[in-house]
Amino acid sequence: MKENKRFTQCLLFSLFAVSLLWCLKSAQILFHWDLGWMGVHPHELLGLIGIITAPLVHGSLEHLFNNTLPLIIMSTVLAFGYPKAFWRVLGLIWLVSGLGVWLFAREANHIGASGIAHGLFFFILVASIFRRDKSSVAIMMIVFLLYGGMTMTILPREEHVSFEYHFFGAVAGFMAALIWRNRDPKPVIKPYAWELKPDDDPVIGDDWQVDDELDPRHEKDKKPQPIDITYH
């Protein structure tokens, strides 16, 4: 019951965060706001602000819709499976992906949260490879089944899509996995009943156990000892 409550809290947090993106996009459409200045403009001093603000802005409703479900699912499972590392991972992905775009991307206005989504995906993937516990592997299998195609979208495919944000998001997720993959302890493995050693009997203690030297089954396995004969 406690785990279900914690998962619900993580899901509600993700829904709330993504709903803010929809509120911002709705206000942009209703009030005809020009939010292009919030994007990452490579090699421009004023474009540095986009490192913080670019993931909040989307070019169209379709753009935001395509990022909505991946952000909800991956942020939920990350917060649930890696609660101690969550904020550190998210912060590193947010900053490193934007900085990488500002330093190395094409001359364009780079916006959208797809870099964040790719970073979360690659953190979950790489962390599970190193940790190899049941919890991290289960989370990775769910995410990979839904969004395994992100391993290919870090490469240039469409001219108007910022693959640079995808690529540097993946790099940031990989870095975060190397640094904080073990910050959350692995779940305790509960042994099966047959693996547990039975308790000693309170009356006879260890006397019920058979000594190998006295066990008749082992008599036939014993080799005859040589007899020393002394002649007088």
Side-chain angles (χ1 to χ4, degrees):
M1 185 63 66
K2 183 178 179 181
E3 293 296 313
N4 292 338
K5 182 179 180 181
R6 190 163 68 86
F7 181 82
T8 301
Q9 292 174 343
C10 296
L11 177 60
L12 291 175
F13 167 78
S14 300
L15 290 171
F16 174 75
V18 173
S19 67
L20 294 180
L21 300 181
W22 279 95
C23 290
L24 180 60
K25 185 61 182 177
S26 300
Q28 180 185 3
I29 295 174
L30 290 174
F31 300 108
H32 306 286
W33 290 347
D34 181 11
L35 302 180
W37 59 272
M38 296 177 66
V40 177
H41 302 271
H43 314 133
E44 296 182 12
L45 187 60
L46 292 178
L48 284 171
I49 193 174
I51 295 175
I52 304 298
T53 58
L56 306 176
V57 185
H58 291 79
S60 64
L61 290 174
E62 180 183 3
H63 186 197
L64 178 55
F65 180 80
N66 290 337
N67 284 334
T68 294
L69 199 56
L71 288 173
I72 291 175
I73 292 176
M74 283 187 282
S75 60
T76 298
V77 298
L78 182 63
F80 179 76
Y82 303 90
K84 293 184 178 180
F86 175 75
W87 288 109
R88 290 175 171 81
V89 171
L90 181 61
L92 182 70
I93 292 172
W94 196 299
L95 296 176
V96 171
S97 60
L99 182 61
V101 170
W102 187 84
L103 290 172
F104 303 109
R106 297 165 292 172
E107 296 296 332
N109 186 20
H110 299 263
I111 57 176
S114 54
I116 305 297
H118 280 71
L120 297 179
F121 172 82
F122 275 87
F123 172 85
I124 293 171
L125 176 64
V126 176
S128 69
I129 294 175
F130 283 101
R131 286 169 61 96
R132 291 182 292 181
D133 61 279
K134 293 181 179 179
S135 177
S136 62
V137 171
I139 291 173
M140 182 273 292
M141 292 179 66
I142 294 172
V143 171
F144 193 85
L145 180 64
L146 295 173
Y147 302 109
M150 285 187 176
T151 56
M152 299 301 298
T153 52
I154 62 175
L155 303 174
R157 303 182 63 169
E158 300 179 35
E159 185 178 358
H160 65 282
V161 174
S162 177
F163 78 91
E164 294 96 333
Y165 233 139
H166 300 173
F167 176 80
F168 288 108
V171 170
F174 184 87
M175 292 171 54
L178 293 180
I179 299 171
W180 294 306
R181 65 184 183 274
N182 292 321
R183 182 165 184 81
D184 291 274
K186 296 181 180 180
V188 178
I189 301 176
K190 296 181 179 180
Y192 293 101
W194 54 267
E195 294 179 308
L196 298 175
K197 182 179 179 180
D199 296 332
D200 294 334
D201 190 282
V203 177
I204 64 174
D206 295 334
D207 293 343
W208 62 272
Q209 300 186 23
V210 179
D211 191 344
D212 288 344
E213 296 181 358
L214 301 178
D215 189 351
R217 292 176 298 176
H218 294 276
E219 291 295 331
K220 61 181 181 180
D221 296 332
K222 293 183 178 180
K223 295 182 180 181
Q225 299 295 326
I227 300 174
D228 294 331
I229 301 176
T230 303
Y231 296 91
H232 297 282

